[in-house]
């Protein structure tokens, strides 16, 4: 039985007509009493095998079954001034059922749901906490077959948060193409994959929960003897491949090595061999008179992860990005000075497509900070630099794409000039929109949206935490100014999200131009409460519930977030905690 | 009333003498800010060499900041080349190259240090900017501090300069930075004074945020403390080797 991609029919618009269920509070993932049994894959949905509808990629594409993101994949021919095409209203889920209070094994219900209320603040709807997941420290040491023991150990470990170590700090978060799986990588080199709870008729409320699906040690610490330097095992990035068969594939990378992992399920095992005795010893062939054909019998579901490819020794500098090409045959890895193109099947060779290393290292003033392939055009990619520029390259132009096709840079604002101007202009993340029409960049204080057709300035600029502008010197001193925040699009490219300090994260609606600041923290997520918008008070009187700039905790930073590809479910990583929030359709 | 011919002391100097708490001339306060930023950046660069795997992006950004300050100081004419260690060296009119600042981070590919660095061009600013290292190894500035993978004798001098940094940073004294750069000829004020003395210069922008460090005493020592954590780590490595 093949697990199939679940097709989502949720609306991608956020709107005031969505009313929000109050949800209750959070416990650690395994605090509940329900057994942590892996759910068998869903019965194949009738409509789920639709192949990707529109692909404008010119290359021959391997047959891929991708859940259609109809709105996102639709070309956007409208001129820029018009609002982004409205998405069709979702087919109704019948009379929408209120999600009752109980949210699954890790949230204990306390009473009846509160009356629904529509969000009246910033237009991002209301967000409720679905679950808070602690990356388990010890699970990776146990085989996933031992569910009962795993649960016991996890229960005792995770209740006491002092067990969380620095190795548990989450360093990357990524949904797969259907949103069914959510992968996290941490500083200890581990990858933990969560799978979405499957909906069933009698447990509608469990939608949106994610359970641990698989966990494995992806990278180990290494020592480079030649340079006497340690190579960290921290996972810098995880990227999923679209699903092509029953197994899931993902790329994970640390500073130097990229690995392709295959995550597959096994729910049957062959039984009935008569060549071995009960203890597993081979029987004397003379005693065997018949040959029995083994029969496949169901067994407890086991998820195993195996490394299928290791792409090593191609990067002198630290890998900061990987990006799967839309042909699904190649991918690129980018370090500080070079970008390499790989074929998934070939591990001992890669093509260098960008090299900005100067002949004389004395002249080095700029490094590559992020890179990504265009979502539809397999010949196009962008990379960003520490000087705040983005270069778009076309691989058809030449083998070595040192000469860019397009160069995006915003002229500097002379009134804001300071010694820190260059540092805060350094781009920490670049992401194509799902439509392929826009790119979004994150620098220290802002998020910018660029139209690929306009190189001289972004079309939109959003201030993430401009109140930090006067604190740049102290942020430089404590190194916070070098923090690399990521940014993400929602499925319809209408909302963008990025993190900040004090466990705050921000969402900006591109259509309504409204924004909201939310907080991902245990203390502030009261049971059954909608996430309350937060506000930072800049000066003068501080109102109640506002927090002043000087009280911000700069050690609590949200660098990594992810947005479900088609639904309003977000994953926010705060140190070693993974928060999953969702909105709720009434 | 001043007698004819007697010059008054310049106002700025008087005020400095009184204690630089208030009324620092805007020009000198800006240059103080700039100088302290320069010092901070250099410390960061030095310390980043001691880390196991220096972050190239961070090093490049800091080096660019240092270069920017140097350019400005050169234009202002406040940039001073220290008298060269040996006679006959040309006064510096070339900015410190990035390589000098961030050698260890960028030469991991194994490129050998250019022997030409033995010439006079860069020893001036090196000793100006990095008196710690020049004090320790005046003859081999290009190799002692920055190469993590240098030969043993270099490690020795590296160790020595580390010691000096340890001492100065462990004093947990707001003037630890001052001791670190005590050889610097150019006027340098106690960082504490600088931080408390600034009331926001007329030039906004550069280091305006230093005001945010107004609780001056915890400021530098806090950074010293975080640096101590890194130094502990480095000591561990050195002891093991």
């Amino acid at each position: 039985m093949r697990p199939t991609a679940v097709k989502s029919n949720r609306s991608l618009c956020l709107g005031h007509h969505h009313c929000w269920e109050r949800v209750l509070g959070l416990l650690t993932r395994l605090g509940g009493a329900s057994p942590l049994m892996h759910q068998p894959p869903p019965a194949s949905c009738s409509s789920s095998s639709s192949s990707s509808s529109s692909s404008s990629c010119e290359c021959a594409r391997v047959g891929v079954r991708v859940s259609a993101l109809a709105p996102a994949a639709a070309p956007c021919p409208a001129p820029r001034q018009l609002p982004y095409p409205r998405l069709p209203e979702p087919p109704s889920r019948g009379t929408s059922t209120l999600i009752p209070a109980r949210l699954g094994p890790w949230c204990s219900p306390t009473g009846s749901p509160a009356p629904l209320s529509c969000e009246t603040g910033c237009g991002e709807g209301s967000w409720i906490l679905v679950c808070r997941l602690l990356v388990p420290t010890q699970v990776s040491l146990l085989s996933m077959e031992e569910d009962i023991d795993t649960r016991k150990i996890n229960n005792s470990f995770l209740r006491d948060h002092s067990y969380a170590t620095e190795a548990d700090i989450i360093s990357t978060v990524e949904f797969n193409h259907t949103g069914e799986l959510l992968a996290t990588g941490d500083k200890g080199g581990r990858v933990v994959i969560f799978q979405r709870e499957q909906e069933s008729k009698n447990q509608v409320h469990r939608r949106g929960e994610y359970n641990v699906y698989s966990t494995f040690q992806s990278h180990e610490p290494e020592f480079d003897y030649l340079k006497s330097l340690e190579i960290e095992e921290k996972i810098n990035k995880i990227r999923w491949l679209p699903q092509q068969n029953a197994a899931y594939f993902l790329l994970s990378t640390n500073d130097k090595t990229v690995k392709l992992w295959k995550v597959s399920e096994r729910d049957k095992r062959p039984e009935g061999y008569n060549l071995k005795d009960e203890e597993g010893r081979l029987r004397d062939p003379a005693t065997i008179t018949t040959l029995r054909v083994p029969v496949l019998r169901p067994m407890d579901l086991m998820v195993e992860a195996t490394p299928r490819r290791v792409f090593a020794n191609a990067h002198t500098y630290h890998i900061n990005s990987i990006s799967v090409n839309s042909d699904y045959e190649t991918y690129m890895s980018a370090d500080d000075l070079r970008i390499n193109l790989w074929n998934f099947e070939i591990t001992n060779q890669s093509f260098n497509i960008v090299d900005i290393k100067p002949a004389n290292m004395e002249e080095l003033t700029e490094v590559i900070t992020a890179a990504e392939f265009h979502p539809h055009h397999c010949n196009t990619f962008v990379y960003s630099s520490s000087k705040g520029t983005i270069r778009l390259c076309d691989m058809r132009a030449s083998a070595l794409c040192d000469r860019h096709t397009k160069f995006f840079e915003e002229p500097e604002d002379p009134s804001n000039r300071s010694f820190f101007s260059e540092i805060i202009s350094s781009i920490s993340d670049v992401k194509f929109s799902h439509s392929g029409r826009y790119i979004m960049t994150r620098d220290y204080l802002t998020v910018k949206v660029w139209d690929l057709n306009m190189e001289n300035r972004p079309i939109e600029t959003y201030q993430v935490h401009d109140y930090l502008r006067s604190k740049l010197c102290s942020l430089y001193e404590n190194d916070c100014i070098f923090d690399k925040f990521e940014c993400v699009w929602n499925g319809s490219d209408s909302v963008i999200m990025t993190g900040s300090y004090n466990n705050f994260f921000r969402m900006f609606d591109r259509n309504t131009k409204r924004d909201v600041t939310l907080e991902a923290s245990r203390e502030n997520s009261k049971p059954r409460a909608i996430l309350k918008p937060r506000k930072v008070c800049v000066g003068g009187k501080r109102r109640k519930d506002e927090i002043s700039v000087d009280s911000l905790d700069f050690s609590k930073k949200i660098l990594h977030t992810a947005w479900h590809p088609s639904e309003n479910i977000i994953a926010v990583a705060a140190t070693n905690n993974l928060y999953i929030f969702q909105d709720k359709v009434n | 009333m001043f007698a004819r011919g007697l010059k008054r002391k310049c106002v700025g100097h008087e005020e400095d003498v009184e204690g630089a708490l208030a009324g620092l001339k805007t020009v000198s306060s800006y240059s103080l800010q700039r100088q302290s930023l320069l010092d901070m950046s250099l410390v960061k660069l030095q310390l980043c060499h001691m880390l196991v795997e220096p972050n190239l992006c961070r090093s490049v950004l800091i080096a660019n900041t240092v270069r920017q300050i140097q350019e400005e100081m050169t234009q202002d004419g406040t940039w001073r080349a220290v008298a060269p260690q040996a006679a006959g060296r040309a006064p510096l009119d070339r900015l410190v190259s990035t390589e000098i600042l961030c050698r260890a981070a960028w030469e991991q590919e194994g490129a050998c240090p250019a022997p030409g660095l033995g010439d006079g061009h860069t020893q001036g600013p090196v000793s100006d900017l990095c008196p710690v290292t020049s004090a320790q190894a005046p003859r081999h500035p290009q190799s002692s501090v920055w190469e993590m993978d240098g030969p043993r004798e270099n490690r020795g001098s590296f160790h020595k300069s580390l010691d000096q940094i340890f001492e100065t940073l462990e004093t947990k004294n707001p003037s630890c930075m001052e001791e670190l750069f005590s050889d610097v000829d150019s006027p340098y004020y106690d960082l504490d004074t600088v931080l408390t003395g600034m009331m926001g210069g007329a030039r906004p922008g550069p280091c305006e945020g230093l005001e945010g460090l107004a609780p001056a005493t915890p400021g530098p020592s806090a950074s010293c403390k975080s640096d101590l954590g890194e130094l502990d780590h480095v000591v561990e490595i050195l002891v093991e080797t």
Side-chain angles (χ1 to χ4, degrees):
Chain A
M1 178 164 60
R2 300 165 125 217
T4 54
V6 176
K7 181 170 181 181
S8 164
N9 52 8
R10 285 292 316 281
S11 164
L12 302 178
C13 279
L14 295 176
H16 291 291
H17 57 277
H18 293 170
C19 295
W20 310 116
E21 170 73 29
R22 295 201 170 194
V23 77
L24 72 164
L26 36 139
L27 299 177
T28 59
R29 184 186 66 72
L30 296 173
S34 310
L36 178 64
M37 293 295 287
H38 292 294
Q39 305 280 346
S44 39
C45 306
S46 53
S47 60
S48 64
S49 17
S50 59
S51 54
S52 172
S53 54
S54 70
S55 161
S56 51
C57 175
E58 301 150 32
C59 300
R61 199 200 273 202
V62 179
V64 166
R65 182 181 53 208
V66 175
S67 168
L69 287 179
C76 181
R80 202 165 30 84
Q81 293 83 352
L82 295 182
Y84 198 90
R86 274 260 163 227
L87 299 165
E89 279 300 297
S92 72
R93 292 184 152 194
T95 56
S96 52
T97 52
L98 299 180
I99 287 189
R102 190 169 184 284
L103 269 200
W106 49 78
C107 298
S108 49
T110 56
S112 58
L116 300 177
S117 62
C118 287
E119 170 68 3
T120 53
C122 283
E124 299 327 303
S126 294
W127 290 91
I128 56 174
L129 177 72
V130 174
C131 48
R132 181 176 68 89
L133 308 168
L134 269 182
V135 177
T137 312
Q138 293 285 330
V139 171
S140 54
L141 301 179
L142 305 170
S143 150
M144 291 308 286
E145 293 178 40
E146 305 169 37
D147 276 355
I148 309 267
D149 294 338
T150 304
R151 243 184 312 121
K152 276 193 196 141
I153 289 180
N154 278 337
N155 274 334
S156 59
F157 258 100
L158 295 180
R159 283 191 203 283
D160 183 347
H161 303 304
S162 62
Y163 279 108
T165 64
E166 186 177 313
D168 300 326
I169 294 176
I170 298 173
S171 51
T172 183
V173 187
E174 186 83 356
F175 279 100
N176 75 337
H177 290 256
T178 60
E180 182 201 355
L181 298 179
L182 175 65
T184 62
D186 63 26
K187 267 187 105 171
R190 254 180 335 205
V191 171
V192 181
I193 302 178
F194 301 92
Q195 185 186 42
R196 188 164 182 190
E197 187 78 29
Q198 298 307 322
E199 283 192 51
S200 54
K201 287 204 186 100
N202 49 349
Q203 287 185 327
V204 163
H205 53 273
R206 290 167 73 110
R207 181 188 73 89
E209 292 170 1
Y210 282 78
N211 287 322
V212 169
Y213 179 67
S214 171
T215 147
F216 54 92
Q217 186 74 32
S218 171
H219 286 74
E220 300 276 358
E222 289 171 42
F223 193 76
D224 183 337
Y225 293 97
L226 208 57
K227 301 169 192 166
S228 293
L229 293 170
E230 239 185 50
I231 300 174
E232 278 191 321
E233 68 275 29
K234 172 169 80 96
I235 307 291
N236 291 335
K237 283 286 178 340
I238 289 175
R239 289 288 181 262
W240 290 94
L241 271 66
Q243 198 171 5
Q244 295 174 282
N245 52 34
Y248 303 102
F249 287 89
L250 62 82
L251 285 175
S252 72
T253 183
N254 69 346
D255 283 338
K256 299 285 185 178
T257 305
V258 186
K259 293 188 184 178
L260 176 70
W261 286 88
K262 173 181 175 183
V263 181
S264 50
E265 297 178 0
R266 192 197 296 268
D267 62 352
K268 292 183 184 48
R269 65 161 168 251
E271 284 178 17
Y273 288 109
N274 65 335
L275 297 178
K276 293 184 184 174
D277 61 19
E278 290 83 25
E279 278 114 45
R281 288 186 301 236
L282 280 174
R283 286 168 61 184
D284 180 7
T287 65
I288 302 174
T289 54
T290 62
L291 200 60
R292 264 208 317 254
V293 176
V295 177
L296 289 178
R297 290 208 204 271
M299 60 181 249
D300 288 344
L301 186 66
M302 189 174 76
V303 181
E304 49 189 12
T306 46
R308 303 297 293 176
R309 305 271 188 277
V310 177
F311 306 92
N313 302 323
H315 286 280
T316 309
Y317 303 98
H318 292 180
I319 298 176
N320 51 53
S321 315
I322 47 175
S323 178
V324 179
N325 205 348
S326 48
D327 61 7
Y328 306 137
E329 290 182 355
T330 57
Y331 75 94
M332 72 166 157
S333 56
D335 67 25
D336 292 318
L337 296 179
R338 299 192 177 100
I339 302 181
N340 292 335
L341 181 72
W342 301 84
N343 184 303
F344 281 112
E345 301 301 321
I346 301 169
T347 59
N348 58 358
Q349 267 185 29
S350 73
F351 289 104
N352 175 245
I353 53 177
V354 173
D355 188 341
I356 65 168
K357 179 171 183 284
N360 188 355
M361 280 297 271
E362 288 184 28
E363 293 157 7
L364 179 67
T365 56
E366 191 174 9
V367 299
I368 298 173
T369 52
E372 196 181 40
F373 268 117
H374 191 283
H376 310 309
H377 304 306
C378 56
N379 51 274
T380 305
F381 65 93
V382 293
Y383 67 93
S384 60
S385 81
S386 58
K387 287 200 168 169
T389 66
I390 306 107
R391 289 171 175 81
L392 183 140
C393 299
D394 187 331
M395 294 198 289
R396 297 171 298 188
S398 66
L400 186 61
C401 302
D402 276 354
R403 294 177 56 195
H404 49 262
T405 305
K406 294 200 183 194
F407 182 76
F408 300 84
E409 186 179 27
E410 182 173 26
E412 198 181 359
D413 177 9
S415 63
N416 267 337
R417 179 120 185 80
S418 76
F419 285 117
F420 306 109
S421 295
E422 184 182 320
I423 300 181
I424 62 170
S425 73
S426 172
I427 293 175
S428 52
D429 194 18
V430 66
K431 290 268 171 45
F432 270 102
S433 63
H434 291 94
S435 61
R437 173 77 188 268
Y438 305 103
I439 48 177
M440 164 167 59
T441 59
R442 174 72 156 99
D443 51 62
Y444 190 63
L445 297 179
T446 71
V447 181
K448 296 181 175 157
V449 177
W450 305 73
D451 186 316
L452 284 189
N453 299 318
M454 185 162 78
E455 300 170 49
N456 58 351
R457 63 179 175 81
I459 56 169
E460 296 156 27
T461 302
Y462 301 95
Q463 301 292 334
V464 180
H465 37 216
D466 199 56
Y467 45 79
L468 296 182
R469 200 177 285 273
S470 55
K471 307 276 180 209
L472 289 179
C473 203
S474 30
L475 293 166
Y476 178 71
E477 193 198 15
N478 63 15
D479 268 8
C480 280
I481 207 173
F482 301 108
D483 286 336
K484 293 193 188 296
F485 293 94
E486 294 173 9
C487 52
V488 289
W489 298 88
N490 75 335
S492 63
D493 299 337
S494 58
V495 182
I496 57 184
M497 173 169 70
T498 187
S500 177
Y501 292 104
N502 209 71
N503 281 344
F504 288 169
F505 58 100
R506 304 258 285 140
M507 289 186 202
F508 302 92
D509 187 320
R510 298 177 59 216
N511 299 327
T512 65
K513 299 302 178 198
R514 293 163 83 166
D515 61 87
V516 68
T517 306
L518 300 171
E519 182 176 359
S521 81
R522 270 181 294 157
E523 292 77 25
N524 288 304
S525 299
K526 297 202 183 87
R528 324 203 70 228
I530 299 171
L531 276 187
K532 198 172 53 177
R534 309 285 306 191
K535 188 139 168 45
V536 176
C537 131
V538 185
K541 283 190 136 176
R542 186 177 77 85
R543 282 187 280 185
K544 188 171 93 85
D545 290 344
E546 282 186 0
I547 180 166
S548 74
V549 182
D550 299 313
S551 319
L552 292 176
D553 187 343
F554 290 95
S555 66
K556 295 189 181 159
K557 48 193 91 167
I558 306 253
L559 303 173
H560 313 288
T561 59
W563 203 307
H564 190 287
S566 51
E567 300 191 26
N568 285 333
I569 300 175
I570 56 177
V572 176
T575 329
N576 62 330
N577 291 299
L578 181 70
Y579 291 86
I580 299 185
F581 301 101
Q582 67 173 71
D583 67 351
K584 170 70 191 78
V585 182
N586 180 14
Chain B
M1 187 74 80
F2 291 85
R4 195 179 303 192
L6 250 185
K7 288 192 177 173
R8 260 194 247 197
K9 289 188 201 168
C10 90
V11 175
H13 179 60
E14 258 182 357
E15 292 182 65
D16 292 340
V17 165
E18 284 161 2
L21 285 177
L24 276 175
K25 289 196 86 148
T26 55
V27 173
S28 57
S29 78
Y30 171 74
S31 63
L32 285 176
Q33 296 173 31
R34 191 173 57 186
Q35 182 66 46
S36 65
L37 181 63
L38 179 65
D39 298 334
M40 197 195 308
S41 306
L42 291 170
V43 171
K44 277 185 183 302
L45 282 178
Q46 289 196 351
L47 285 177
C48 87
H49 301 152
M50 301 177 192
L51 294 179
V52 180
E53 278 263 59
N55 184 337
L56 185 62
C57 181
R58 178 174 173 272
S59 307
V60 168
L61 290 173
I62 298 174
N64 288 349
T65 308
V66 168
R67 206 183 285 115
Q68 199 184 337
I69 297 175
Q70 289 169 1
E71 277 173 15
E72 209 180 276
M73 287 173 86
T74 310
Q75 285 164 11
D76 284 352
T78 54
W79 180 261
R80 296 182 186 199
V82 169
Q85 303 270 335
R89 293 210 176 103
L92 175 78
D93 56 354
R94 188 183 109 178
L95 296 175
V96 176
S97 71
T98 312
E99 191 197 20
I100 296 293
L101 296 172
C102 279
R103 176 77 70 85
W106 300 342
E107 301 227 305
Q108 291 176 20
E109 283 199 7
C112 299
L117 283 169
D119 68 67
H121 278 261
T122 50
Q123 286 208 347
V126 166
S127 47
D128 184 29
L129 297 171
C130 308
V132 173
T133 62
S134 64
Q136 296 303 317
R139 299 294 160 234
H140 307 280
Q142 71 274 25
S143 53
S144 58
V145 177
W146 295 283
E147 283 194 31
M148 286 292 297
D149 44 349
R152 278 278 157 195
E153 70 261 21
N154 287 338
R155 278 194 181 272
S157 54
F158 177 43
H159 210 303
K160 269 196 264 176
S161 57
L162 254 191
D163 278 345
Q164 189 174 24
I165 294 180
F166 289 157
E167 284 162 29
T168 56
L169 289 178
E170 267 172 351
T171 57
K172 294 191 179 151
N173 185 327
S175 62
C176 63
M177 298 267 259
E178 180 184 72
E179 288 176 64
L180 202 56
F181 297 95
S182 52
D183 293 8
V184 175
D185 234 7
S186 50
Y188 179 84
Y189 291 86
D190 194 306
L191 190 63
D192 195 16
T193 316
V194 169
L195 295 171
T196 53
M198 283 179 340
M199 307 303 248
R203 265 211 238 190
C207 290
E208 191 180 48
L210 274 175
E211 286 184 25
L213 294 176
T217 312
S221 55
S223 72
C224 293
K225 278 179 195 158
S226 64
D227 295 339
L228 272 180
E230 296 169 344
L231 290 173
D232 279 345
H233 181 58
V234 176
V235 170
E236 248 181 67
I237 297 172
L238 287 177
V239 164
E240 282 165 4
T241 56

